[in-house]
Amino acid sequence: PAMPEDPTGAGWGLQQERPPARQAAVVPPLQTLPQSSAASSDSASGGKSSDAPGAGNAQQGIARCSPRMASEAVTSTGRRSPRSLSRMPNNTGGPNPGAGAVSGVSSPTAQGVRGSEAAPFLTEAATVFCSPESTEGRQSFRPGVAMWICAAILALVAVFALALTVASVPASSSSEAFSGRLPSAGTEQTAEASIDNSRDEGEVLGEALPPDSPLAADGLCNVEAPLPRLKHRLWELDPLWRRVCEEKNKAKNWWQYPLDRNWCWIGFKAQCHADLKTHRPWRNIQENAAKFGLAPSANDSKYLPIERPELCDRVSAGAERTWTSEERAAARKWFKDHATVYVLGLPSAKKRWAMAHARLKELDIDVTHIFGVDMRKDDELEVAKEHGWVPKDFNYTRSQEVAYSDKHSMGPILGTLGCASAHFKAQAQVIADGSPLAIVLEDDSYVVSDFVERVWHLVLRELPCDWEVTSLYSRCPFGTCISEHLTRVQPDTNEPEWRCRQGVNWGMQGVIYRTERLPGVQRHWKPTVFDEERPHCMDVDVALASISDRVGYYAVPSVQDPGFLRETDHGSARWTINQAATTKPPTTTTLRTTLPPELVPDQPPAAPKTRAVRCATSD
């Protein structure tokens, strides 16, 4: 049956892939993984994929002897038994049981083919395909290749039998909080239970601090709020799911370094990045990612970037509230006594500042304007180092060189450097001014009408006493819901440390600092941001999320509407400066230099000499 239209234009490759249950199965190398003809036709229809057609190609050889090969072989002979048909997914309702209408790939773990059923399925496939009286299933192969295919399928049966024996050993239940290990799919649990990495309330929330704790002395928290327990959570997928995601996402995200990556998670996050200014919970984002073929559906492999999403990963959590006159008066007095508001923006961005200033004036909120740092100016980096916004030993040339490398593929980072410097400049003024709370807004932020009341309620009713930094607008948040409006941010250990665990908890549009705790936060934060070997960390929001297991970092998910603020459509100054930067990756250039002639007394000058010089240059 025809596949539904793909809005991305890239199509869903490997539509009939059937990954086995999670176990130690032997899988073919990625470069020889067979592909359906649909994958190549989707590439021809406008996608970026450069994958070559693989179905029916004799040159694939033994690589075709995968679980999918068995599925195709049985289909081609038309001799699949009713028992096998009952196991195969049919999401489209059409006669072809292998093509899924939503995710494009259907996991046997979710459909009932798991555990002890996997080996009989392959045995049946081998019997049908390698049967002497059946030639239709191998008519497109040379006889020698067909022999190797049959032998490989039978070998896979033996491997699956051995894997089932290993999988029957119970997994240890004594993993530590940060191990991130999940139960094996070979256990008697259901598929959804085996990949559900959420915890109940008792595991997420610990004890509240005693009222006399030093962390509660300033009165800028809810002393009754329990402190969250952090847990690193990995999205564990069986190898074939990861292969399918890699085949689909690698061409579309060609700049992404392929090693040590979870391509299903890359596709999942890519869908979130495509919807940055919408208000969608992670549940809907995974549905859309599966629809566009970027990641498995929740039915196939459910993953929760935010634990307890029913609590705060909801649009309605940001709905308008009704405040009594007493609450408004109390909030106003508290805000005036404890909070100072700053707006950060470049001196040249006069329209942005005018918009932000007018809105805050309308709400009777006093504001201080802090000029950003424009690294396009001569000697601006040296000025930033002199003031301590950038470490004195920071080597921008090295950082840019690493950013250009194939491993990072970031391009110019001049605007990113200026943005990071500006935020540390704002923090320096916050510390100098000494207000108990500081709210730093970027100049493209537009706060809601009851902004003062919301901040008052958030600090005194929801924030636990270990908080140090709170983002008021966090996109693609990763962590755990601890109240109706808050997540406790945690590092995304699905991404490697060298990449600064980049891709979640984006946004510095509005940040609350607990001023007394800010110098301690900077001791972790600033060295991470200005790490020349990890240029992804120069995005200050990315760096802060990566160290959130060392600092008290909380955030309001941007899914909440209207929430605390919204971002206007002025565009990103950081991005504009990056794109306009004149820096280029180092290249080797051949120059021809004319040397002056050697002068010899009493003789005419010789002809000028030309010498070729090879040198590495960088504008």
Side-chain angles (χ1 to χ4, degrees):
M3 292 292 291
E5 183 179 356
D6 183 357
T8 65
W12 171 260
L14 305 182
Q15 293 164 347
Q16 298 183 9
E17 190 73 29
R18 300 183 64 254
R22 187 189 302 123
Q23 49 191 304
V26 177
V27 294
L30 176 62
Q31 60 269 24
T32 59
L33 186 70
Q35 305 163 22
S36 66
S37 58
S40 59
S41 63
D42 285 337
S43 295
S45 65
K48 291 183 180 180
S49 175
S50 58
D51 301 332
N57 187 346
Q59 295 179 355
Q60 296 287 342
I62 299 177
R64 295 190 57 85
C65 289
S66 65
R68 176 177 174 229
M69 171 59 211
S71 173
E72 289 182 343
V74 178
T75 303
S76 65
T77 61
R79 296 180 56 190
R80 179 183 284 120
S81 68
R83 183 166 62 89
S84 297
L85 285 171
S86 67
R87 293 197 205 112
M88 294 294 292
N90 189 356
N91 296 332
T92 62
N96 182 355
V102 178
S103 65
V105 178
S106 202
S107 168
T109 304
Q111 299 293 336
V113 184
R114 54 191 169 95
S116 60
E117 292 182 300
F121 173 75
L122 281 179
T123 304
E124 180 184 21
T127 302
V128 174
F129 185 77
C130 302
S131 173
E133 65 270 17
S134 175
T135 59
E136 183 180 359
R138 58 177 187 267
Q139 59 187 358
S140 61
F141 299 94
R142 297 193 299 271
V145 175
M147 178 186 69
W148 281 105
I149 292 174
C150 296
I153 293 178
L154 294 175
L156 277 177
V157 175
V159 171
F160 266 83
L162 177 61
L164 289 173
T165 303
V166 175
S168 65
V169 179
S172 173
S173 60
S174 60
S175 60
E176 298 185 7
F178 284 87
S179 67
R181 308 301 297 178
L182 304 179
S184 169
T187 65
E188 292 302 318
Q189 300 176 357
T190 64
E192 183 168 335
S194 68
I195 48 79
D196 185 1
N197 50 29
S198 61
R199 300 173 288 167
D200 60 33
E201 182 174 342
E203 294 176 303
V204 172
L205 301 179
E207 300 293 331
L209 288 173
D212 58 349
S213 170
L215 291 178
D218 55 8
L220 299 176
C221 61
N222 179 6
V223 295
E224 297 179 356
L227 304 184
R229 294 190 177 106
L230 298 185
K231 175 187 176 184
H232 289 176
R233 296 174 294 114
L234 297 175
W235 190 7
E236 294 195 347
L237 295 146
D238 63 53
L240 283 182
W241 263 120
R242 296 174 72 107
R243 292 280 174 86
V244 170
C245 289
E246 182 169 0
E247 285 292 319
K248 174 60 183 179
N249 292 305
K250 196 172 182 180
K252 295 181 65 176
N253 300 274
W254 53 267
W255 66 91
Q256 298 270 15
Y257 188 72
L259 304 181
D260 194 25
R261 307 294 300 281
N262 180 341
W263 284 92
C264 294
W265 180 230
I266 291 175
F268 196 168
K269 289 190 300 179
Q271 186 60 44
C272 185
H273 300 162
D275 298 332
L276 277 184
K277 292 197 175 183
T278 62
H279 300 276
R280 288 196 177 99
W282 277 112
R283 178 186 68 254
N284 292 357
I285 292 171
Q286 184 169 12
E287 290 174 359
N288 289 339
K291 178 180 178 181
F292 300 149
L294 304 175
S297 68
N299 290 333
D300 290 323
S301 183
K302 183 180 179 182
Y303 184 64
L304 302 175
I306 291 184
E307 286 189 288
R308 307 169 77 206
E310 69 283 352
L311 191 57
C312 72
D313 192 24
R314 299 180 292 110
V315 176
S316 59
E320 295 182 359
R321 309 184 218 175
T322 302
W323 308 95
T324 66
S325 57
E326 291 80 8
E327 288 174 329
R328 289 187 181 277
R332 287 282 169 180
K333 184 180 186 306
W334 174 88
F335 195 90
K336 184 176 182 180
D337 293 341
H338 295 88
T340 301
V341 177
Y342 303 85
V343 169
L344 178 62
L346 290 173
S348 58
K350 296 179 180 179
K351 291 184 178 180
R352 294 186 179 207
W353 161 243
M355 180 272 299
H357 181 253
R359 177 57 173 169
L360 294 170
K361 184 178 180 180
E362 177 186 352
L363 301 178
D364 195 24
I365 299 175
D366 294 331
V367 60
T368 299
H369 190 196
I370 300 178
F371 288 151
V373 179
D374 190 347
M375 287 294 174
R376 294 173 295 185
K377 295 181 179 179
D378 293 338
D379 300 325
E380 191 74 357
L381 179 56
E382 295 305 318
V383 172
K385 289 184 176 182
E386 289 176 5
H387 286 85
W389 312 329
V390 176
K392 291 186 180 297
D393 60 350
F394 173 68
N395 187 337
Y396 169 67
T397 303
R398 173 58 183 169
S399 185
Q400 181 63 84
E401 179 185 357
V402 176
Y404 277 131
S405 67
D406 292 339
K407 190 171 185 178
H408 293 272
S409 299
M410 294 178 62
I413 56 174
L414 190 66
T416 307
L417 174 61
C419 182
S421 305
H423 276 280
F424 285 112
K425 177 183 179 180
Q427 292 172 26
Q429 184 160 345
V430 165
I431 295 172
D433 291 347
S435 176
L437 291 181
I439 301 174
V440 178
L441 303 171
E442 293 186 340
D443 60 2
D444 57 350
S445 298
Y446 193 88
V447 300
V448 295
S449 298
D450 58 345
F451 181 76
V452 169
E453 291 82 0
R454 286 177 185 255
V455 171
W456 167 72
H457 185 276
L458 186 76
V459 173
L460 298 185
R461 299 290 184 269
E462 298 188 48
L463 276 169
C465 288
D466 67 337
W467 82 273
E468 296 171 316
V469 182
T470 300
S471 169
L472 297 176
Y473 192 76
S474 181
R475 290 165 167 167
C476 306
F478 190 93
T480 301
C481 289
I482 65 158
S483 68
E484 184 180 10
H485 306 102
L486 272 180
T487 62
R488 175 56 166 96
V489 179
Q490 7 184 146
D492 173 18
T493 50
N494 292 295
E495 287 288 358
E497 188 175 2
W498 62 260
R499 208 170 182 271
C500 209
R501 312 200 186 282
Q502 191 262 1
V504 293
N505 295 303
W506 283 2
M508 296 289 289
Q509 284 79 12
V511 180
I512 309 177
Y513 294 113
R514 200 173 184 178
T515 306
E516 184 183 65
R517 308 283 297 176
L518 187 52
V521 174
Q522 285 187 337
R523 283 194 288 271
H524 298 286
W525 196 359
K526 190 177 290 186
T528 303
V529 170
F530 296 106
D531 183 348
E532 295 92 343
E533 302 304 317
R534 296 194 297 160
H536 279 287
C537 290
M538 195 175 288
D539 285 315
V540 286
D541 48 358
V542 171
L544 184 58
S546 74
I547 61 169
S548 55
D549 53 352
R550 289 179 274 163
V551 301
Y553 184 26
Y554 292 80
V556 178
S558 64
V559 65
Q560 301 180 11
D561 187 24
F564 287 73
L565 54 86
R566 65 177 176 86
E567 184 183 28
T568 61
D569 295 325
H570 285 91
S572 169
R574 174 189 60 84
W575 176 260
T576 301
I577 294 173
N578 280 346
Q579 295 305 300
T582 58
T583 55
K584 300 176 182 178
T587 57
T588 300
T589 306
T590 300
L591 304 178
R592 292 201 171 271
T593 303
T594 300
L595 304 178
E598 296 181 2
L599 298 179
V600 180
D602 302 327
Q603 291 186 11
K609 299 179 180 179
T610 300
R611 183 175 66 186
V613 180
R614 291 178 59 83
C615 58
T617 64
S618 178
D619 294 340

